[in-house]
Amino acid sequence: MNEKAYAVWLSLALGAGARCGEILSAFDCIRDIYESDMQTLRMSGVFTPRQLEKTEKTPLSDAVVQLETCEKNGWHCVTYEENEYPELLRRTADPPVVLYVNGSIDYVNSSLCFGIVGTRNPSNDSVNTAVSISAQLADAGAVIVSGGALGIDSAAHRGALKAGGKTIAVLGCGLGTRYLMQGAFLREEISKNGAVISEFSPFAPASKTTFPIRNRIISGISRGVLVVEAGERSGSIITANCAMLQGRDVFAVPGSVVSSAYIGANRLIRDGASAVTCAQDIIDEYEALYPGQLKRRDYAAAETARGDSKPAKVIKKSTALMSEKEKTVYARFGSEPLYPGDIAAATGLSLGEVNEILTALEINDYVISVSGGRFTLI
């Protein structure tokens, strides 16, 4: 029997988000948990009655099915017991027993992993700030971790990709779940330059409860977390709270004191989070922990010299290398921002095709997303 099957079995029995650190510490290995009788499990004192019931009723064959599903789709499982498992996450109180991975995370334990999160409906300035800081951090050698959602999460991932760095998207659903399909192309690019990961089984649906569960993984993998634009009840504040409970560093980009959109981030700064204006503010905190691994550049001076909030430029592909459909979409742009739906109507392409093309153009620095779901030329 594949040893991973026992870990998948336990993750299915306990459920996502279970506080399983004590359970994992009470046994020599996960296989021992599976092979123990109910009396032994009960006497260990680390299982709740509900968890005992689930371990008894969950067959190992269910885990085998999940592993076969991963194999068919080109995904793999990283279990709590493997060296590839993120060490910082392993030390938390509620580490996932299994991470389902599309891509690779074998670089995580030797790199500075840093989380960037924020609202799904950011201002133009916040999008540009997230892209810029993410690109600068990735260029310096950090791995950018975020949640794969719209808004600041996507901006953070795009920034890392633009800089040619690695990025990890932590999903609040299974890897195979058709959720927010306008971001599917971006997730595919992430998997080629890092990883898309989840503790949820491959086709587990997203819900309002799954995203708070996944937030502890974003902060758990990361040495620190930056919040870019967050309202009072933003999900990114949950991530920041998880970070504090896990002993991580918390940073925030300050925003307008008269706008409700920045209440959460400003309060984090009031309560002790470090204010950030450029990537160097973050790099300065970690150079000693990662000697020789983080490249220094004068990012603050670069921001001042640029004189605006646009993200740092990177090498662009020439339009000659675009596909015909990319050229068609790109040709629609002038001086005004455009909605994807308007581009679809004007070109005859489907909305799904347009969204994929816009993501590709954004990653390659031809366009950038702005408020209201529109895109404009860089």
Side-chain angles (χ1 to χ4, degrees), residues 7 15 17 39 67 124 144-145 173 202 238 240-241 245 292 302 361:
Q39 181 66 11
L67 288 171
N124 296 352
I144 303 303
V145 184
C173 59
I238 297 176
N241 290 335
L245 289 172
L361 292 177

Side-chain angles (χ1 to χ4, degrees), residues 26-211:
F27 294 83
D28 290 336
C29 64
I30 295 174
R31 184 172 183 170
D32 284 352
I33 300 174
Y34 176 78
E35 294 179 343
S36 296
D37 57 32
M38 291 305 297
Q39 181 66 11
T40 301
L41 296 182
R42 188 174 294 108
M43 292 297 293
S44 70
V46 294
F47 290 91
T48 66
R50 176 62 175 161
Q51 287 172 335
L52 288 171
E53 180 183 355
K54 289 293 294 294
T55 58
E56 188 173 29
K57 291 183 176 180
T58 303
L60 189 62
S61 59
D62 284 0
V64 174
V65 169
Q66 301 298 336
L67 288 171
E68 290 174 347
T69 298
C70 289
E71 185 175 359
K72 289 177 183 177
N73 288 278
W75 309 326
H76 67 284
C77 293
V78 176
T79 74
Y80 177 87
E81 296 179 323
E82 295 182 280
N83 292 334
E84 190 180 350
Y85 191 93
E87 186 58 36
L88 287 175
L89 185 61
R90 197 199 313 270
R91 297 175 194 168
T92 62
D94 48 3
V97 183
V98 167
L99 292 173
Y100 297 94
V101 179
N102 183 14
S104 173
I105 59 170
D106 58 7
Y107 47 84
V108 166
N109 289 326
S110 59
S111 305
L112 167 62
C113 292
F114 192 83
I116 299 179
V117 295
T119 179
R120 296 189 180 201
N121 298 291
S123 67
N124 296 352
D125 284 347
S126 292
V127 169
N128 292 338
T129 296
V131 172
S132 179
I133 291 178
S134 176
Q136 292 168 2
L137 286 173
D139 178 65
V143 176
I144 303 303
V145 184
S146 196
L150 301 178
I152 295 300
D153 286 14
S154 291
H157 294 305
R158 292 195 308 268
L161 293 173
K162 285 183 177 185
K166 292 189 180 298
T167 183
I168 296 173
V170 187
L171 302 186
C173 59
L175 294 179
T177 301
R178 294 181 62 82
Y179 177 75
L180 288 177
M181 293 311 293
Q182 60 265 51
F185 180 80
L186 178 60
R187 291 196 291 272
E188 185 62 29
E189 290 300 301
I190 293 169
S191 70
K192 297 174 184 176
N193 298 274
V196 178
I197 69 174
S198 176
E199 73 170 312
F200 297 95
S201 55
F203 294 100
S207 74
K208 63 181 181 181
T209 62
T210 60
F211 293 100

Side-chain angles (χ1 to χ4, degrees), residues 126 229 253-266:
S126 292
E229 189 177 334
V253 174
S256 170
V257 297
V258 297
S259 171
S260 62
Y262 299 95
I263 289 177
N266 287 338

